[in-house]
Amino acid sequence: MGPHPAVAAIRLAVRRVLHDVLTEHTAQHTVPELSTTAPTGQAAPTAPSAPPGARDASWTPLVLVACSGGADSMALASALAFEARKLPVRAGGITVDHGLQDGSGLRAAEVAVRLTAMGLDPVEAVTVTVGRDGGPEAAARDARYAALDEAAERLGAAAVLLGHTRDDQAETVLLGLARGSGIRSLSGMAAVSGAEGRYRRPFLQLDRQTARKACMVQSLPVWDDPMNADPAYTRSRLRHEGLPALEKSLGKGVVEALARTAQLCRDDADALDTWAADVEPSVRDETGHLVCARLYALPPAVRRRVLRRAAIAEGAPAGSLFARHIEELDRLITSWRGQGAINLPGRVEARRQGGRLVIRQG
């Protein structure tokens, strides 16, 4: 008799991601074939190769799981530990202590012990200092990703698995909608993101209940972060009040529909981003400045992407460049009335001069 359906589902999701990581790792580390012919009297050179199933660190990719101790990430850790034993993959774990609650250090140590008991190696508990920029949720997220990036770089990890589920995706789409964000924000979280595709989210097609059920049937202890139920946090209110209210009014299937919308939006956003990248050289003059008349002729969605790319290239931080900034830039093109310079994040300034849009650090 096979595993419980919930366990089978999480393992299959992780197995698919591990196969993707292995395929990419193999492509990056393939040694070009050497000629089998050699001058007379000399032995033909041979290409080095790793034996099947080898665990040599130079050939075998390391995959880390980011685990908070909650049901989603514990289910993910268990699936990674199980699947990695059958593949030429080294599996490790990272837990991040944000230091925001009493006893958080002890809980992080307990999670590390559980990950080690699963057979993951290396396992680390990393303590971070959470700032204040962007609010408590954003600041904690920034600190967490910075810690994961550092650990992945230091340990040479090929990928870091994150336990975001379809429910998390639906919440992200609704938060973007409430902020009046553009299509990129409505795209939610990507299955693959980060530098060189570092972050992988195997569970985006699975609901939160599946992960919790998988933990229960495997007798995996989980920790429910009280912050996830604290109405002081926007995502918590959305999770416990907003989404249930939508499902009550619109019927079941809201989460699935929102997740599907995210994928459709992502496909459109990717296409528009590619269009903007391709067209950008044609709207610059020989000095590299943006030509307002050429920008005006572009479709608005493409023009705004070109403007955003240009601002980021001059030093505006992408995470601080909001829709209102791009709208102000766009008005220099479409509603020119002699406006003065516009100040953008990162001490970047934009102004219209002689039919050109000049963006630079000021």
Side-chain angles (χ1 to χ4, degrees), residues 32-40 42-47:
E33 288 188 9
L34 301 178
S35 172
T36 56
T37 60
T40 305
Q42 296 183 19
T46 58

Side-chain angles (χ1 to χ4, degrees), residues 29-337:
H29 292 79
T30 297
V31 179
E33 288 188 9
L34 301 178
S35 172
T36 56
T37 60
T40 305
Q42 296 183 19
T46 58
S49 61
R55 292 276 171 169
D56 188 305
S58 63
W59 289 94
T60 310
L62 170 64
V63 177
L64 300 173
V65 58
C67 184
S68 67
D72 301 342
S73 58
M74 285 297 289
L76 182 59
S78 71
L80 173 62
F82 180 85
E83 293 296 332
R85 289 194 289 269
K86 303 185 292 182
L87 296 169
V89 171
R90 292 177 294 135
I94 301 291
T95 185
V96 177
D97 172 19
H98 299 86
L100 297 176
Q101 301 167 0
D102 292 339
S104 62
L106 178 59
R107 279 191 293 273
E110 291 173 348
V111 171
V113 169
R114 291 170 188 167
L115 296 180
T116 300
M118 290 179 183
L120 300 183
D121 181 35
V123 170
E124 294 186 359
V126 180
T127 302
V128 298
T129 300
V130 177
R132 297 183 177 181
D133 292 345
E137 292 170 284
R141 182 176 61 248
D142 290 345
R144 179 168 60 255
Y145 276 102
L148 293 175
D149 281 334
E150 188 280 330
E153 291 286 348
R154 175 167 44 80
L155 297 172
V160 178
L161 306 189
L162 304 175
H164 297 121
T165 64
R166 187 169 61 192
D167 300 79
D168 296 307
Q169 185 76 297
E171 292 163 7
T172 301
V173 172
L174 283 177
L175 288 171
L177 186 62
R179 288 192 298 264
S181 302
I183 192 172
R184 175 56 69 187
S185 183
L186 298 183
S187 301
M189 296 174 286
V192 180
S193 66
E196 300 180 353
R198 169 175 293 156
Y199 294 108
R200 311 293 173 111
R201 297 177 173 87
F203 290 175
L204 283 184
Q205 300 302 317
L206 300 177
D207 60 29
R208 189 174 290 138
Q209 191 58 37
T210 297
R212 185 167 289 276
K213 185 69 173 178
C215 289
M216 185 179 71
V217 299
Q218 295 179 100
S219 299
L220 294 175
V222 299
W223 173 67
D224 290 318
D225 187 345
M227 292 179 64
N228 291 334
D230 189 343
Y233 298 99
T234 304
R235 186 177 285 269
S236 175
R237 293 196 302 273
L238 179 60
R239 178 174 301 177
H240 298 287
E241 300 173 18
L243 269 173
L246 281 175
E247 291 202 329
K248 183 177 179 180
S249 298
L250 303 177
K252 295 293 184 181
V254 170
V255 168
E256 293 87 340
L258 287 169
R260 186 166 58 251
T261 297
Q263 184 57 57
L264 294 172
C265 287
R266 180 166 299 280
D267 292 342
D268 290 350
D270 288 346
L272 289 168
D273 286 347
T274 299
W275 187 353
D278 290 345
V279 79
E280 183 175 347
S282 69
V283 297
R284 293 184 181 273
D285 62 15
E286 61 279 0
T287 67
H289 288 127
L290 293 166
V291 180
C292 296
R294 297 176 189 173
L295 284 168
Y296 186 86
L298 294 175
V302 178
R303 180 174 61 244
R304 289 173 186 143
R305 280 169 167 76
V306 171
L307 294 174
R308 178 179 173 81
R309 286 170 55 87
I312 293 172
E314 293 300 325
S320 302
L321 201 58
F322 302 134
R324 66 176 185 274
H325 298 125
I326 306 305
E327 289 170 3
E328 288 298 319
L329 276 177
D330 200 42
R331 289 192 186 100
L332 293 178
I333 308 300
T334 62
S335 303
W336 171 242
R337 299 291 185 273

